Amino acid sequence: LGQPLALSDLTLQTSGLGVISLGTDASDAIGKLIATLGEPSSDSGPITSTGEFGACEGGTVRIVKFGALAAVVIIDPDGTETFGGYRLDLTYDDAATSVAVDLETLSGLKLGNNVTDLRNIYAAFDVDVVTDADYGRVFELRGSSGALLLWGPVLDSGDEGTDTIMGIYAADASGTFC
């Protein structure tokens, strides 16, 4: 497992969780998360993906949750397990009491911030709040090329600026691992 990391070393980024890059061997990635966040609150073991966690539908995945944080492990046909994505979400079981609830993006966006905070933090980026067929209201943070960087559900308050950020998700793993 190694030494625990500082939470500041696990910033939510397009490339991974701080020092844990997407594409890292899952045993290394999950080991570092266990050393830092403690034992997982759940581990699905190998399951067929429904696409729910951004992994390739029909592929094999493993979802390892640490309260508010879900680490998405992609399992290749040969059994190789790779860290493929993450989701940080206040609606997961034990989210409010988990250490992971305090994770934030490299620029400082945290769960519980509102859309006005999001727009201020990412003023140089394209931020949209849209309705997703599966998730309801979500924010989408896109770079200048239009590529999706981060996204997540928001709690609709009736006033977009005060909508609460309920989740911060990596771009879907299917774009990289399918």
Side-chain angles (χ1 to χ4, degrees):
L1 296 179
Q3 294 296 314
L5 301 169
L7 287 184
S8 60
D9 288 336
L10 293 178
T11 52
L12 309 170
Q13 301 176 36
T14 59
S15 60
L17 291 171
V19 298
I20 305 173
S21 299
L22 298 178
T24 298
D25 178 84
S27 62
D28 183 47
I30 299 302
K32 286 178 180 173
L33 291 174
I34 291 171
T36 305
L37 303 173
E39 288 298 317
S41 51
S42 68
D43 185 338
S44 69
I47 58 173
T48 300
S49 174
T50 61
E52 178 184 357
F53 287 89
C56 311
E57 191 169 339
T60 305
V61 296
R62 178 177 157 216
I63 308 301
V64 184
K65 288 186 178 177
F66 298 86
L69 178 68
V72 180
V73 175
I74 307 300
I75 303 174
D76 291 338
D78 68 1
T80 302
E81 295 190 4
T82 306
F83 175 55
Y86 65 83
R87 300 232 168 143
L88 186 69
D89 197 304
L90 278 173
T91 66
Y92 294 158
D93 290 340
D94 302 322
T97 59
S98 74
V99 175
V101 78
D102 291 327
L103 295 177
E104 60 185 60
T105 67
L106 188 60
S107 299
L109 180 70
K110 296 175 72 169
L111 294 175
N113 284 146
N114 61 42
V115 171
T116 298
D117 298 329
L118 170 68
R119 291 185 190 285
N120 288 337
I121 291 168
Y122 292 104
F125 294 84
D126 183 21
V127 176
D128 288 314
V129 177
V130 300
T131 301
D132 180 89
D134 296 322
Y135 294 94
R137 301 278 290 163
V138 299
F139 77 86
E140 296 178 340
L141 175 65
R142 296 183 182 276
S144 58
S145 69
L148 183 64
L149 303 175
L150 297 170
W151 69 285
V154 298
L155 181 62
D156 191 351
S157 67
D159 172 9
E160 183 179 286
T162 61
D163 286 352
T164 303
I165 306 298
M166 297 298 290
I168 303 171
Y169 300 172
D172 288 349
S174 59
T176 304
F177 296 98
C178 287

